[in-house]
Amino acid sequence: MFARTFAQYRTQALLFSLFLCIINTHASSDKSDSLSAGAAAHERSLGDKALMEGKLALALKHFDSAVKMNPLDHLNWYKRATAHIIEKKFDAALRDLAKVLEIKPDYHQALDKRAKIHTSQGRFQEAREDVQALLKNKNSASLRDTLNNLHLAEQSYEAAKTLLEQKNYQSARDHLNKAIDVASDCVQLLLMRAECHLKLGDRENALADTGKALKVDSKHMAALAMRGQAYYEMDELDMAQRHFREGLRLDPEHKVCKQAYRKIKQMENVAKAAQKEMDSKQYQEALESYEKGTKIDPNHVLFTGKMNLGRCQVLIKLKKYREAIEACSEVMNIPENIHDRQQRMQTLLSRAEALQGLEDWEEAVRDCERALNLQKDSHEAKEKLERAKQLLKKSKMKDYYKVLDVPKDADDRAIKKAYKKKALTMHPDKVCGGGQCKTKEESDLANRKFHEIAEAHEVLTDPEKRAKYDRGEDPINEQPQGNPGQGFPFGFGGGGGGNHHFTFHFG
């Protein structure tokens, strides 16, 4: 009996000890949970402070800690979702908001935030469901307006899709503007509108929309390719290449990026080769390179314009002036609103030079005037306009080079040789000898022609006078009256033409 009593006592003692252990364990657990919740709340408050100071990365670090310390507190998830929204990481924010609503289904702030994310991203169905859930608890005019706006935005999106298929880009863009007013961060809508911008030639706005899309999703291939295309069409080839290269880094086999990247490399290589050949005066080779460049992408008007300007300048060096004018005129067909003003000015000045080669002096002056109007402070345009005016004035003077039948770049030796030949054959005594000049007019004409030969020789063999003449200045009337020079003066008469004195050099 005593043994049985002792056994019962021991069993009761063990049960009591176990009971005490359970109580202590629960107490310890409650204490630990309380400590974790307090630490999580502290981290959350630190995250709030960092967020107010604009320190987003630090805020996220604190909110991450809060979530790990107390994952059952909906506020920790909600705060982190808010930070994700600020950094435009909407998918992460949606995951956190879903967790908030799992823990606390009636937390309307989370529902409201999720509805706004769905709206901004163009997830119209999901947004409507969230707004309708909010309306069950709060029937407000604002929420009803939001629901109506979602419906209209979705209608605009559907209409834009149809219009794009019909290639009605202007109307499609109008509808997309309405949809994007509601769904401002929807990558699909932004890229659809960017496509419209490109088709309508509005490359600046295409860059704006693709840039916004890439802020939402930095690895979006279609956005990278379209942004690269916009830069390509603007002839900003370095920027275009950068975007196509990034696309190929993400997807080495991306067809659009690969083709565009290769085309730009080809453009760069041809342009470099042509410039190198031009600099080394390999004009025929440079012409071939520039012509090759015009064929790479004839639809790329700006790059093709550069190649045609190069062709024009090479053709001038080759003295093929008509072809040069045609090449420069092709460049001038580029719409002025997309054409670089400096390049347009250079094109006009180059065409003016080609026109001067064809002795179309007045048209050359007009092109120089147009060039100066484009850049009023251009020293080069001012100089070339002044030169063109001098050449126009000179064109109305005697052409001494033509009188002696010598080219404009003839040296002294060639001029003297031509002069000697002309003076011997055109001397009035020879022309009118043997009674060949029947009238006074015929005699006067022979005298004038001989006078022109002497005058041409006198001007073209005097460096100072020739320089004035080439500038379009009168080299004769500014000289003192009298015998212009020294040599072997002789007079001749004939038909009452009077006595004239000239200087002749036959040595």
Side-chain angles (χ1 to χ4, degrees):
M1 185 176 180
F2 175 77
R4 194 184 320 135
T5 304
F6 178 77
Q8 289 176 343
Y9 174 77
R10 188 172 65 174
T11 301
Q12 290 174 351
L14 287 171
L15 288 173
F16 182 71
S17 297
L18 180 61
F19 175 72
L20 288 176
C21 286
I22 291 170
I23 290 175
N24 288 333
T25 299
H26 278 291
S28 176
S29 176
D30 290 343
K31 186 176 181 181
S32 175
D33 288 344
S34 177
L35 288 172
S36 294
H42 178 67
E43 287 291 333
R44 192 171 67 236
S45 67
L46 290 175
D48 287 337
K49 183 174 182 292
L51 209 58
M52 289 180 64
E53 294 172 352
K55 299 174 181 178
L56 183 58
L58 181 60
L60 273 167
K61 185 177 178 182
H62 287 302
F63 292 143
D64 284 340
S65 297
V67 166
K68 289 174 184 176
M69 290 176 180
N70 190 7
L72 297 178
D73 189 337
H74 67 284
L75 285 176
N76 296 333
W77 296 94
Y78 181 77
K79 292 292 185 178
R80 191 171 74 173
T82 302
H84 284 317
I85 291 171
I86 293 171
E87 65 173 353
K88 289 191 176 293
K89 289 187 176 179
F90 298 117
D91 288 342
L94 286 172
R95 287 192 295 271
D96 281 358
L97 290 171
K99 192 68 178 175
V100 173
L101 293 167
E102 179 186 321
I103 298 168
K104 193 175 177 62
D106 61 344
Y107 196 64
H108 297 151
Q109 291 96 321
L111 204 57
D112 180 63
K113 267 188 169 40
R114 190 169 72 175
K116 286 176 179 176
I117 293 175
H118 285 321
T119 299
S120 73
Q121 292 198 310
R123 297 172 181 170
F124 300 117
Q125 179 61 35
E126 293 90 335
R128 275 200 304 272
E129 290 174 1
D130 283 345
V131 173
Q132 286 166 349
L134 287 166
L135 275 168
K136 289 178 181 178
N137 294 282
K138 184 183 179 182
N139 187 12
S140 75
S142 175
L143 286 172
R144 289 195 298 273
D145 287 344
T146 299
L147 204 58
N148 184 54
N149 289 336
L150 285 168
H151 177 67
L152 294 175
E154 189 168 20
Q155 283 186 327
S156 294
Y157 162 64
E158 294 297 339
K161 282 199 299 184
T162 301
L163 290 164
L164 270 175
E165 289 172 1
Q166 297 170 352
K167 299 184 179 180
N168 187 343
Y169 300 111
Q170 182 62 59
S171 295
R173 183 166 67 175
D174 292 341
H175 280 84
L176 288 165
N177 287 341
K178 295 174 184 176
I180 291 171
D181 281 344
V182 175
S184 58
D185 291 313
C186 179
V187 171
Q188 183 181 5
L189 291 174
L190 288 167
L191 294 185
M192 287 170 67
R193 189 169 69 176
E195 181 184 353
C196 293
H197 290 320
L198 282 177
K199 296 294 185 182
L200 295 169
D202 188 353
R203 298 170 186 87
E204 292 288 348
N205 274 320
L207 286 177
D209 277 351
T210 53
K212 191 170 183 180
L214 286 169
K215 283 184 178 179
V216 177
D217 183 355
S218 62
K219 297 181 180 180
H220 199 289
M221 287 300 303
L224 284 167
M226 201 176 293
R227 190 168 175 80
Q229 180 66 24
Y231 277 121
Y232 173 77
E233 291 181 12
M234 294 172 71
D235 203 38
E236 294 188 31
L237 299 185
D238 287 343
M239 287 298 293
Q241 194 78 309
R242 184 184 303 176
H243 284 79
F244 292 133
R245 189 184 298 116
E246 176 62 15
L248 290 173
R249 188 184 68 80
L250 297 171
D251 180 3
E253 297 305 317
H254 193 274
K255 186 176 179 181
V256 173
C257 289
K258 185 182 284 189
Q259 289 178 346
Y261 186 85
R262 287 175 177 172
K263 187 179 288 185
I264 292 174
K265 291 298 290 184
Q266 189 180 2
M267 288 174 163
E268 290 174 344
N269 291 339
V270 167
K272 286 177 184 176
Q275 189 59 57
K276 185 177 180 181
E277 289 156 353
M278 188 75 167
D279 292 341
S280 60
K281 299 184 180 180
Q282 296 174 276
Y283 297 130
Q284 190 58 46
E285 291 83 353
L287 180 60
E288 291 171 6
S289 291
Y290 281 124
E291 287 176 345
K292 183 180 178 182
T294 63
K295 297 171 184 174
I296 294 174
D297 185 357
N299 293 322
H300 195 299
V301 293
L302 296 178
F303 179 79
T304 303
K306 285 182 182 179
M307 296 296 99
N308 276 321
L309 176 55
R311 280 181 61 227
C312 175
Q313 293 169 340
V314 173
L315 288 164
I316 290 171
K317 297 292 184 182
L318 295 171
K319 300 189 186 301
K320 296 181 178 180
Y321 300 117
R322 291 192 187 280
E323 293 177 53
I325 291 169
E326 289 174 5
C328 277
S329 296
E330 285 187 41
V331 183
M332 293 304 297
N333 288 333
I334 298 174
E336 191 168 353
N337 64 310
I338 66 169
H339 198 190
D340 179 73
R341 292 175 72 83
Q342 176 68 23
Q343 187 185 111
R344 201 168 184 85
M345 182 193 78
Q346 287 298 329
T347 303
L348 286 165
L349 295 178
S350 295
R351 189 169 69 177
E353 188 177 349
L355 287 163
Q356 289 163 356
L358 294 179
E359 299 184 0
D360 191 344
W361 312 111
E362 291 185 358
E363 194 60 38
V365 168
R366 280 192 282 273
D367 267 359
C368 288
E369 287 173 340
R370 292 186 193 112
L372 187 58
N373 283 335
L374 285 172
Q375 293 201 3
K376 304 235 180 239
D377 58 347
S378 170
H379 183 66
E380 179 185 10
K382 288 176 183 177
E383 279 191 346
K384 291 198 172 181
L385 175 58
E386 186 60 32
R387 171 69 176 153
K389 287 179 177 179
Q390 290 170 349
L391 290 173
L392 174 61
K393 180 180 176 183
K394 178 184 171 183
S395 71
K396 298 174 182 177
M397 300 164 56
K398 294 174 186 175
D399 189 339
Y400 292 133
Y401 294 104
K402 189 175 286 187
V403 169
L404 295 181
D405 286 332
V406 294
K408 289 180 172 56
D409 57 356
D411 57 19
D412 275 1
R413 184 177 179 183
I415 292 170
K416 288 176 181 177
K417 183 178 179 181
Y419 162 71
K420 182 177 180 181
K421 180 180 177 182
K422 286 276 187 179
L424 291 173
T425 58
M426 298 300 294
H427 194 285
D429 289 347
K430 184 171 183 177
V431 173
C432 294
Q436 294 184 68
C437 294
K438 306 295 185 182
T439 64
K440 179 179 182 298
E441 286 77 12
E442 290 178 346
S443 177
D444 286 347
L445 179 61
N447 286 337
R448 284 200 303 274
K449 286 185 177 181
F450 193 67
H451 176 85
E452 285 178 355
I453 293 168
E455 191 175 278
H457 172 265
E458 194 70 32
V459 170
L460 298 183
T461 55
D462 184 310
E464 186 177 346
K465 291 179 182 177
R466 184 177 181 179
K468 284 185 177 180
Y469 174 70
D470 287 341
R471 290 196 300 268
E473 300 173 15
D474 190 339
I476 299 299
N477 291 336
E478 293 180 4
Q479 304 300 317
Q481 297 295 319
N483 194 34
Q486 296 181 0
F488 299 95
F490 58 90
F492 58 88
N499 292 328
H500 304 272
H501 295 279
F502 308 93
T503 301
F504 300 94
H505 302 271
F506 295 101

